[in-house]
Amino acid sequence: MVAAVMVPGCALLVAALSSPLSLAPFSRRAVLATGAAALFSAGAPNSASAAANVKDLTRLPAGLNEINYLLENWEKETTNPNSGDADPDRVRIFVGLRSTTSPLFQVEKLLAAPTTQDKVDPDRFDEWITATEEFNSHINKINELAYTSSFGEYNPGGGKDQVAKYLNLAKEEVVLARDSLALLIDLLGLDK
């Protein structure tokens, strides 16, 4: 005798009894474990893949808007409302490094996609390459500085002043990333 758990689009084998005539009960643990595995492996579409659609160019202006919002509200958005301490990790959220729902999540794939690059004027393609490399470099630097700032207080010789120092350096990189992204949007002929 065989039992299966059905999940939309898949069926998983729960248990096979030693004999078709055996009436031994199934283990609740086996049924629950298999059911949970089915839900996680065949459930709703992965939000990360949905956010990282390499054909959705509207993600670029939306990401620019998020970066502009962050810069306009820097103190508010980089301060923990409960403790009043700096919260540098929030910077990483706004530039697509911490949340799969961010329009800039895995944006490097969108920028590298042939369907995206085909939209760039061939006479300005060198400018596209430079802007893309600069944008990716700024995002990597933001990641490094915001992460370092998160632990600035705990490092030897660290303190709140070190957190502020690295957070300000991250802000400078956010400005540069914004400028590179604005140029990329312009090169694609998208509305900001």
Side-chain angles (χ1 to χ4, degrees), residues 34-90:
T34 305
L39 289 174
F40 286 114
S41 66
N46 184 343
S47 62
S49 63
N53 181 346
V54 296
K55 294 183 181 178
D56 185 8
L57 294 176
T58 63
R59 291 174 45 210
L60 298 176
L64 181 61
N65 290 337
E66 285 200 6
I67 290 175
N68 283 329
Y69 175 83
L70 171 64
L71 290 169
E72 291 166 7
N73 300 283
W74 185 264
E75 292 301 320
K76 175 185 161 201
E77 290 301 329
T78 60
T79 303
N80 184 315
N82 296 326
S83 68
D85 292 335
D87 189 0
D89 204 42
R90 298 270 305 148

Side-chain angles (χ1 to χ4, degrees), residues 97-111:
L97 297 170
R98 299 281 296 162
S99 173
T100 60
T101 59
S102 170
L104 295 178
F105 177 70
Q106 295 184 346
V107 72
E108 67 280 358
K109 292 181 180 179
L110 176 63
L111 297 175

Side-chain angles (χ1 to χ4, degrees), residues 6-7 20 32 62 80 100 112:
M6 295 298 291
V7 176
L32 290 174
N80 184 315
T100 60

Side-chain angles (χ1 to χ4, degrees), residues 60 107 111 116 120 127-136 177-190 192:
L60 298 176
V107 72
L111 297 175
T116 302
V120 178
E127 195 176 354
W128 166 265
I129 296 295
T130 301
T132 302
E133 289 172 352
E134 288 176 355
F135 178 73
N136 288 332
R178 178 203 56 199
D179 296 345
S180 294
L181 182 57
L183 177 57
L184 291 169
I185 290 168
D186 180 55
L187 290 168
L188 288 168
L190 301 174
K192 293 180 187 173

